[in-house]
Amino acid sequence: MTGEELRTQTLLRLMAWMSPAFPIGGFAWSGGLERAVHDRLVQDASELRSWLVAVLRHGSLWNDAILFGEGWRRHEDHEGLAELSELGLALAGSAERHFETLSLGKAFVATARAWPAPVLERLPADVPFPVAVGAIAAAHRISLEDVLAAYLHAALSQAVSAGIRLGACGQMDGVAILAALETEIGQVIRDVSGATLDDLGTAAIQVDIASLRHETQHSRLFRS
């Protein structure tokens, strides 16, 4: 396979894996955003953008990015992946967050069997979503920078879609938010390239509280 053919194959796989149509159920989760809209913490496009920056830079997506990078690096290490998965699940700040990352991880591994690879047998049965995607991408020789960019963009796209469905912004505003977040995504990728597990940690307290409060919300569209 030529270099050009490999790049095309990589692009096609990233487009498939990160597509909203990839059957892992990502559309069902809002990561506490539904509660934030309910509590009027997020009321418009500007507040939605600020919320997502906090999640990306200081919240669950920051931890996910580090776990993703470690999963990518440890894709040939069965014990390392098991330890990383235990840590990733332990970091979930709420029952819904735990169920979200676990269910998405399991669904991704099951669906990724369409592209057979030995890494699928090295991953533990209970694997968080970012660890699963990172390890599988590494096994398919996809660069960390490329696949992490696709992963983060997909996560933020899903959050923007949730914001639109919740009435926090319109479609044009949603696209503008994604365009504005490109720089933030690039910075996180650069930071993660030199990060270790010692850099795990969050400071998005309001986001975590919203996720916890969502568990008791009576009427809701999303599972988190």
Side-chain angles (χ1 to χ4, degrees):
M1 183 179 295
T2 67
E4 187 63 32
E5 290 172 334
L6 181 60
R7 284 191 292 273
T8 299
Q9 181 188 77
T10 295
L11 177 61
L12 289 173
R13 287 185 183 174
L14 286 179
M15 291 171 66
W17 293 350
M18 298 298 118
S19 167
F22 204 67
I24 60 173
F27 61 86
W29 307 88
S30 80
L33 178 60
E34 182 171 20
R35 186 69 200 202
V37 173
H38 178 275
D39 292 343
R40 302 184 66 81
L41 297 172
V42 175
Q43 301 183 65
D44 56 31
S46 176
E47 291 177 349
L48 177 58
R49 175 183 171 182
S50 296
W51 182 269
L52 295 181
V53 169
V55 173
L56 177 63
R57 299 290 297 176
H58 309 292
S60 58
L61 270 184
W62 167 251
N63 277 351
D64 276 3
I66 294 178
L67 293 169
F68 191 108
E70 284 296 313
W72 188 90
R73 298 180 189 100
R74 299 185 187 194
H75 74 280
E76 295 183 332
D77 181 356
H78 175 77
E79 292 185 1
L81 288 172
E83 293 175 356
L84 187 64
S85 294
E86 289 181 3
L87 175 61
L89 294 174
L91 287 170
S94 67
E96 288 185 351
R97 169 64 180 160
H98 183 277
F99 186 42
E100 175 182 0
T101 192
L102 182 58
S103 64
L104 293 179
K106 286 184 173 183
F108 188 88
V109 172
T111 310
R113 293 188 181 279
W115 295 268
V119 69
L120 295 169
E121 309 310 319
R122 286 193 290 270
L123 287 164
D126 292 341
V127 56
F129 188 37
V131 176
V133 182
I136 291 172
H140 286 274
R141 297 186 296 170
I142 303 176
S143 74
L144 175 59
E145 293 77 11
D146 286 349
V147 69
L148 185 53
Y151 176 90
L152 293 175
H153 187 272
L156 292 168
S157 294
Q158 171 56 39
V160 167
S161 177
I164 293 171
R165 290 168 65 187
L166 292 166
C169 70
Q171 290 182 317
M172 292 183 65
D173 286 333
V175 171
I177 290 171
L178 289 174
L181 291 176
E182 288 179 357
T183 301
E184 297 287 347
I185 293 174
Q187 185 59 55
V188 168
I189 293 170
R190 289 189 291 273
D191 291 343
V192 166
S193 66
T196 69
L197 295 180
D198 290 337
D199 296 297
L200 286 166
T202 64
I205 306 300
Q206 195 67 265
V207 176
D208 293 337
I209 291 174
S211 181
L212 289 166
R213 287 174 59 83
H214 189 269
E215 295 178 8
T216 60
Q217 188 167 326
H218 175 66
S219 177
R220 55 189 188 177
L221 296 175
F222 297 92
R223 300 182 71 179
S224 73

